[in-house]
Amino acid sequence: MAKCPVCGMDYVKGLSEDEKEHRAYHDPFANGVPGPPVKSDMVVWKTLGERITVVTGNSPLPQRIRAQKTGKVAHAEVRQDGGIYCATEMPDIRDMHLFLYYVRNRIVGLAIFERRRNVWLATWSEEAEPQPKEVNDSRGIWSLGIIWVHKKHRRRGIARRLFEEGIAYLGVDRRSIGFYTPFSEGGKAFVRSLYP
């Protein structure tokens, strides 16, 4: 029995059925989730060979399944409690919006924005010993729950593009966005680059 270091799947090397199953499972982790353009894509940004689509709780099921598959690949690295996204989850007051970044026909980036009604305000100087102030907003404050970019596509501005296109689509000012914590090291560096 072997464990793949990229996708985490256990399989028997040399057993053709296991190797075939492993190749199919492994592909999205190694190369991004397959995502050829379809009519139901809600494209919010596009350039040569790259695009961003938005998926909500009211999007067609195939779009939500794409988002779920992308969340599964991101989760292998991010390890967020309870998983990242479920395609069959009913829309709720969080009004989740998932932005998927495609390079050619592979999804290599994900940003999830949601409305949070209870948030805490803290500054970077309070990082060591936070003394956050609770803020309640009955409408909800748009917050970035997760942002992830496939390892092969990092350091190309994809996370920033996802963030900028997300807030533009939602019609919110960057100063009013909340961020779900705790941050990974990469996440902290990203947020610090946006808000020094």
Side-chain angles (χ1 to χ4, degrees), residues 13-58:
K13 280 188 177 181
L15 187 62
S16 63
E17 192 174 295
D18 259 26
E19 290 199 353
K20 181 180 177 185
E21 189 177 331
H22 172 245
R23 278 192 302 277
Y25 184 83
H26 177 91
D27 179 61
F29 292 88
N31 302 305
V33 175
V38 293
K39 264 187 168 178
S40 63
D41 281 344
M42 189 162 174
V43 179
V44 298
W45 175 84
K46 189 175 186 176
T47 190
L48 189 61
E50 300 182 10
R51 69 190 190 279
I52 296 174
T53 65
V54 62
V55 176
T56 69
N58 297 316

Side-chain angles (χ1 to χ4, degrees), residues 73-81 84 146-148 154 184:
V73 172
H75 183 45
E77 193 175 342
V78 176
R79 297 281 180 209
Q80 190 167 351
D81 289 346
I84 291 179
I146 187 170
I147 195 158
W148 167 84
R154 291 182 185 157
S184 65

Side-chain angles (χ1 to χ4, degrees), residues 21-157:
E21 189 177 331
H22 172 245
R23 278 192 302 277
Y25 184 83
H26 177 91
D27 179 61
F29 292 88
N31 302 305
V33 175
V38 293
K39 264 187 168 178
S40 63
D41 281 344
M42 189 162 174
V43 179
V44 298
W45 175 84
K46 189 175 186 176
T47 190
L48 189 61
E50 300 182 10
R51 69 190 190 279
I52 296 174
T53 65
V54 62
V55 176
T56 69
N58 297 316
S59 294
L61 183 59
Q63 294 295 336
R64 289 181 281 131
I65 289 172
R66 276 187 180 181
Q68 179 177 295
K69 287 178 179 177
T70 305
K72 181 179 180 179
V73 172
H75 183 45
E77 193 175 342
V78 176
R79 297 281 180 209
Q80 190 167 351
D81 289 346
I84 291 179
Y85 176 72
C86 178
T88 57
E89 189 174 323
M90 296 301 293
D92 59 26
I93 59 174
R94 294 173 299 158
D95 193 18
M96 289 177 74
H97 282 62
L98 295 87
F99 294 85
L100 306 177
Y101 195 103
Y102 298 71
V103 173
R104 290 173 291 285
N105 292 328
R106 294 282 182 159
I107 305 168
V108 300
L110 168 69
I112 301 177
F113 289 87
E114 59 188 343
R115 289 184 184 271
R116 295 273 178 167
R117 280 158 178 72
N118 298 314
V119 296
W120 287 263
L121 183 64
T123 65
W124 288 118
S125 61
E126 295 173 320
E127 188 174 15
E129 294 224 11
Q131 300 294 320
K133 180 177 86 173
E134 187 170 4
V135 179
N136 293 307
D137 187 321
S138 61
R139 296 164 300 151
I141 295 170
W142 281 110
S143 300
L144 182 65
I146 187 170
I147 195 158
W148 167 84
V149 177
H150 192 281
K151 287 179 183 178
K152 288 183 177 179
H153 296 273
R154 291 182 185 157
R155 308 234 180 269
R156 294 185 43 226

